[in-house]
Amino acid sequence: MERPQWSLSDFEIGKFIGEGKFGKVYLAREKQSGYVVALKVIFKKKLEKYRFHSHLRREIEIQRGLDHPNVLRLFAWFHDADRVVLVLEYAARGELYKLLRSIGRFSERTAATYAASLAGALAYCHKKQVIHRDIKPENLLLDIEGRLKIADFGWAVQSNAKRHTLCGTIDYLAPEMVEKKAHGYAVDNWTLGILCYEFLYGSPPFEAAEQNDTLMRIVKVDLMFPLTPYVSADAKDLICKLLVKDSSKRISLDDILKHPWIIKNADPSGSISPSERS
Ligand code: AMP
């Protein structure tokens, strides 16, 4: 899928997949190769309205440089007078979020497999000096084999320096972001802890009726595990090692992959069939 200049006429446009804040996503087939992709069509007017140009440019620059089995590929992009079009890897099984909400919570095998995929993908991103900063179930897609793909690099940054901007969805914010302190790579490790909890219990750990209460619970690391026989001590141990207030003391991504819960439960292929999920 390399070509100096792409245009919409290179694709047969198929079914409408969904709509985000900035544009519509369609299934498409590249005419010459027959390759199936997802086209994200973004209207320039919307970008102007929300002043989102720089985010999109950053998303494109970052995602173009990443090539990992658990990071959604951005094969190419092009634009015409009205639209910017992203040519993306097609994630046939859609949003992990919808799956989680529909079945309530994942089995330990599924949760550990997704956690290992995320840790591997984040380690790869961090080595490339990319911090995602907005990992949440809505930004995780599943391909036809049930393999997790990190998507949406709109909030990611590529930098060695520590950052100060507050971004991300509140339940997934690390304490250093809530407190508007400088933050670095370890914000993604925190979020991985939130996600492990949510995969296993069905909702994020610091959820509260009021946003301010969530923020307070995050800052205090007010972590409680509901009494349920389903979640193992190993899983809780890993979550406790990720949800640590001092970002320098959080378990590293490499050590997550060596943690007993991951070793015992994660499927090395990274793919989960529908029957294995719950
Ligand atoms: P977004 O604009 O990224 O919020 O996406 C809008 C809708 O399209 C959401 O339901 C996404 O899950 C879906 N979507 C976005 N990108 C892809 C993709 N590469 N493959 C499959 N579905 C996607």
Side-chain angles (χ1 to χ4, degrees):
M1 293 271 305
E2 281 303 330
R3 178 182 281 214
Q5 193 52 61
W6 291 94
S7 79
L8 272 180
S9 62
D10 293 312
F11 298 88
E12 281 167 39
I13 312 291
K15 70 166 186 181
F16 169 72
I17 300 176
E19 186 160 7
K21 192 168 178 198
F22 296 101
K24 296 185 174 172
V25 180
Y26 298 89
L27 186 64
R29 190 194 303 272
E30 200 269 310
K31 285 179 185 165
Q32 237 173 42
S33 65
Y35 204 89
V36 172
V37 293
L39 291 185
K40 193 186 257 195
V41 182
I42 299 160
F43 285 91
K44 288 183 172 173
K45 277 220 165 81
K46 279 206 169 169
L47 286 176
E48 279 160 25
K49 186 173 165 198
Y50 294 100
R51 299 171 184 270
F52 208 75
H53 279 111
S54 58
H55 271 106
L56 183 67
R57 191 168 303 130
R58 195 155 67 196
E59 177 170 357
I60 290 173
E61 276 166 14
I62 290 176
Q63 215 169 339
R64 274 295 276 151
L66 300 175
D67 184 3
H68 183 277
N70 297 111
V71 176
L72 194 80
R73 285 292 306 274
L74 172 62
F75 295 118
W77 71 282
F78 53 89
H79 65 117
D80 59 21
D82 306 315
R83 300 165 285 211
V84 179
V85 180
L86 308 186
V87 184
L88 293 161
E89 177 180 359
Y90 174 49
R93 290 212 188 138
E95 286 177 29
L96 185 135
Y97 172 78
K98 287 191 183 144
L99 177 67
L100 181 60
R101 289 292 170 267
S102 73
I103 63 177
R105 56 181 183 78
F106 294 142
S107 65
E108 296 236 339
R109 179 178 173 76
T110 302
T113 302
Y114 292 154
S117 299
L118 267 168
L122 289 172
Y124 169 83
C125 290
H126 290 183
K127 270 175 204 127
K128 292 217 147 202
Q129 287 163 11
V130 172
I131 319 175
H132 190 289
R133 303 196 299 177
D134 197 22
I135 302 285
K136 55 183 171 176
E138 293 90 321
N139 288 342
L140 304 176
L141 299 177
L142 297 169
D143 73 2
I144 189 78
E145 277 150 5
R147 199 170 290 121
L148 178 147
K149 305 274 172 177
I150 301 183
D152 207 339
F153 282 78
W155 282 114
V157 281
Q158 191 152 31
S159 145
N160 267 322
K162 290 241 174 182
R163 316 282 305 184
H164 282 92
T165 20
L166 182 64
C167 55
T169 314
I170 98 163
D171 276 294
Y172 304 89
L173 285 178
E176 59 271 31
M177 292 175 95
V178 174
E179 292 180 328
K180 299 194 172 85
K181 291 183 182 156
H183 53 267
Y185 296 102
V187 295
D188 286 340
N189 301 42
W190 171 276
T191 310
L192 186 50
I194 302 281
L195 280 172
C196 284
Y197 186 104
E198 187 169 6
F199 289 165
L200 292 163
Y201 292 101
S203 51
F206 306 119
E207 214 174 42
E210 299 291 329
Q211 288 207 341
N212 266 344
D213 294 336
T214 298
L215 298 177
M216 255 160 59
R217 292 191 64 199
I218 293 171
V219 172
K220 285 194 289 184
V221 195
D222 179 19
L223 180 62
M224 282 176 289
F225 293 106
L227 278 176
T228 132
Y230 311 115
V231 179
S232 66
D234 279 341
K236 291 181 208 165
D237 180 76
L238 178 58
I239 292 169
C240 288
K241 287 180 169 140
L242 283 162
L243 298 181
V244 175
K245 178 140 184 187
D246 180 346
S247 62
S248 68
K249 301 217 164 82
R250 285 175 206 149
I251 184 171
S252 72
L253 295 168
D254 289 338
D255 285 341
I256 293 170
L257 295 170
K258 295 183 208 146
H259 189 277
W261 183 63
I262 297 290
I263 303 274
K264 272 187 228 158
N265 294 287
D267 186 319
S269 75
S271 59
I272 288 286
S273 68
S275 60
E276 284 177 308
R277 286 168 185 157
S278 47

